[in-house]
Amino acid sequence: MNVMVIGGGGREHAIAWCLTKSPRVREIFCVPGNAGTLGIATNLDADVSDHSALIDLVEKHNIDLTVVGPEVPLCAGIVDDFHKAGLRIVGPSAAAARIEGDKAYAKKIMKAAHVPTAEARVFERIEDAKLYVEAREHGFVVKASGLAAGKGVFVCQDCEQGLLAVEQIMGDRAFGKAGDKIIVEELLKGQELSVFALVEGRNIYMLATAQDHKAIGDGDVGPNTGGMGAYSPAPIATPSIMTIVERDILVPLIDAMNNDGSPYRGILYAGLMLTPGGPKVLEFNCRFGDPEAQAVLMRLESDVLDIFEALADGDISTLDIRWNEKPAVCVVMTAKGYPGDYEKGQTIEGLESVDAIEDVQVFQAGTRQIEQFIVSSGGRVLGVTAMGHDIGEAKRRAYEAVEKVHFNGAYYRRDIADKAIQAASSKN
Ligand code: AMP
Ligand code: GLY
């Protein structure tokens, strides 16, 4: 089969890398891909928001199946348009993708389905949001309702920070239309966990767990990013927690979406806070997490094409997915300035010295090939991912690989996986 992957980040490089291991895959096409996918796939240059241009590519290159990485095309209805054209594609419809693209809708459906989540109020007028925030005494969280590339969430300790957040989202319209509605919600305390599941109608298949590191700085300080690193599996996701997540969160949500006329089909990502009162939803996403996907897919032993075909139009209940027992750690290297304005065009060196190391993969994100050079072209540049016999070894091997790769201004957190390592050492 010929497979097309939509997107150009580390997650899409990891998806394409898994596809190279499938004996049934003939050719892989990435739109737009990056310098990392160039080596294993054909990168096609097209506007991802132009669905008819993508449909033309499917016909031109005899593509049998399309896999969509990021949320923006899913929320824009790429799956609906492909289905109308009679094409096979993996991902939820636009109606179902609202679970990520419209946080006000997600809150409404969670409330109706009694899914545990932070108490929240939705505002459409800046004055109302400000009045509400001014009356808050404790910490709270202000979120743009629409898509903001992971940057539209402000954890506020006092009303001054809250007013700034409201002003930025609704006053300055820093995230455009995504800020038409604002959500102000209860601040939840605990450890975060990313849970991924395949969903097809009422069937749910839980995937390996992962933990992200959203803040820019070591010790989870500073502004949120798209994700600075991840590890899989997450030791805090014990079997009893996972049973609760499936029974009390995923099943009622999926039922409610079915009843609402927006059945879900695709990868569902639940961002959770493990609070003393049990797991609560921070957000749902309609896709794989990035960088979590890099750590999770590194451990996938089954044929990823079987999974994608079952998700596109088959039956996920017959899947039997095998994972490598070894944990994986992904350390994201970013450009200077990220998550604010960042530098581009820095030459990346040392990638070839990592190529031959077993159980290490550098998944590329914001990179471009210019002549014989690979240069940075985005905020998150590389996801250096390694497996080890235990989480400590996986971390050590990932950082050893990071040390071999260089570009001017490269930044990375040094504490990726530390929480898991502490959890493992306190158990022993
Ligand atoms: P979201 O995009 O909604 O997952 O938010 C991004 C990040 O903001 C989360 O991963 C958390 O670190 C933080 N966050 C979001 N909502 C809350 C909340 N209600 N309480 C505490 N932290 C939150
Ligand atoms: N790593 C967080 C996300 O993909 O949304």
Side-chain angles (χ1 to χ4, degrees):
M1 286 177 53
N2 291 341
V3 184
M4 177 160 81
V5 180
I6 306 286
R11 166 184 50 209
E12 289 75 29
H13 187 182
I15 290 172
W17 175 77
C18 283
L19 285 166
T20 62
K21 298 194 280 182
S22 168
R24 295 194 294 122
V25 170
R26 192 169 52 212
E27 253 193 284
I28 306 166
F29 296 87
C30 293
V31 192
N34 56 42
T37 62
L38 256 189
I40 55 176
T42 305
N43 285 354
L44 300 173
D45 195 18
D47 176 359
V48 171
S49 66
D50 183 350
H51 300 170
S52 50
L54 298 174
I55 288 169
D56 288 345
L57 290 178
V58 168
E59 277 151 20
K60 182 164 169 206
H61 296 283
N62 293 316
I63 287 161
D64 302 284
L65 182 67
T66 299
V67 181
V68 187
E71 62 279 15
V72 171
L74 292 167
C75 292
I78 189 174
V79 170
D80 310 71
D81 289 341
F82 269 52
H83 284 167
K84 273 185 223 140
L87 302 177
R88 300 178 79 199
I89 184 163
V90 179
S93 65
R98 282 178 76 199
I99 199 69
E100 171 165 5
D102 181 352
K103 285 184 196 278
Y105 165 79
K107 279 287 174 192
K108 200 169 103 194
I109 202 150
M110 280 192 267
K111 193 156 191 196
H114 303 290
V115 170
T117 182
E119 285 298 325
R121 293 277 304 267
V122 179
F123 298 96
E124 296 188 26
R125 287 163 23 115
I126 188 165
E127 302 79 24
D128 298 342
K130 283 187 169 170
L131 273 179
Y132 183 74
V133 160
E134 274 167 2
R136 298 292 93 200
E137 284 176 4
H138 303 291
F140 54 90
V141 184
V142 177
K143 302 182 174 184
S145 182
L147 294 180
K151 293 170 197 156
V153 174
F154 298 84
V155 176
C156 305
Q157 302 305 334
D158 53 36
C159 75
E160 208 174 309
Q161 289 179 349
L163 289 173
L164 276 176
V166 170
E167 191 55 47
Q168 211 172 325
I169 296 172
M170 274 192 164
D172 306 342
R173 300 193 60 82
F175 311 103
K177 270 186 72 63
D180 283 353
K181 288 185 196 162
I182 259 188
I183 293 158
V184 182
E185 69 179 36
E186 171 198 8
L187 179 70
L188 299 175
K189 298 253 163 68
Q191 276 212 57
E192 283 186 49
L193 171 69
S194 304
V195 169
F196 302 100
L198 309 177
V199 178
E200 171 238 320
R202 289 187 195 270
N203 289 330
I204 295 174
Y205 191 109
M206 305 294 272
L207 298 179
T209 56
Q211 196 154 5
D212 190 8
H213 297 65
K214 289 225 168 70
I216 187 76
D218 286 3
D220 296 328
V221 298
N224 272 335
T225 68
M228 294 299 294
Y231 55 85
S232 171
I236 49 169
T238 58
S240 66
I241 295 262
M242 294 305 282
T243 305
I244 295 173
V245 170
E246 185 167 354
R247 185 193 62 203
D248 296 349
I249 294 178
L250 298 181
V251 169
L253 177 87
I254 294 307
D255 279 352
M257 292 186 75
N258 267 306
N259 297 339
D260 189 47
S262 326
Y264 199 94
R265 189 170 190 123
I267 296 166
L268 180 65
Y269 163 158
L272 306 173
M273 188 72 91
L274 301 185
T275 74
K280 292 191 178 179
V281 177
L282 295 173
E283 62 168 349
F284 282 109
N285 293 321
C286 61
R287 51 168 174 93
F288 246 136
D290 192 7
E292 295 98 314
Q294 301 177 51
V296 167
L297 292 175
M298 188 84 185
R299 300 179 49 228
L300 179 68
E301 288 188 335
S302 302
D303 186 336
V304 78
L305 191 58
D306 292 340
I307 299 174
F308 287 147
E309 286 204 277
L311 267 184
D313 42 27
D315 174 5
I316 63 167
S317 66
T318 57
L319 287 172
D320 178 19
I321 301 176
R322 291 180 318 281
W323 302 100
N324 194 320
E325 293 286 307
K326 290 185 195 163
V329 171
C330 168
V331 178
V332 173
M333 299 179 76
T334 64
K336 187 174 179 185
Y338 178 81
D341 288 339
Y342 52 80
E343 279 182 5
K344 292 184 189 172
Q346 300 300 329
T347 303
I348 303 166
E349 283 166 343
L351 288 169
E352 63 299 330
S353 62
V354 182
D355 271 353
I357 310 176
E358 200 188 344
D359 287 347
V360 173
Q361 286 296 322
V362 179
F363 295 118
Q364 298 189 24
T367 66
R368 281 179 63 194
Q369 178 123 18
I370 298 182
E371 295 168 1
Q372 74 272 38
F373 300 109
I374 294 181
V375 300
S376 63
S377 63
R380 293 192 289 174
V381 179
L382 304 170
V384 181
T385 311
M387 289 197 292
H389 289 289
D390 57 29
I391 187 85
E393 194 196 31
K395 175 186 173 184
R396 189 174 48 72
R397 298 185 79 240
Y399 279 99
E400 275 169 15
V402 164
E403 294 294 322
K404 294 182 194 292
V405 180
H406 306 281
F407 55 92
N408 279 340
Y411 168 82
Y412 52 90
R413 277 181 64 163
R414 291 174 191 269
D415 64 344
I416 304 301
D418 280 358
K419 280 191 199 128
I421 293 168
Q422 276 156 21
S425 65
S426 63
K427 226 169 36 182
N428 294 331

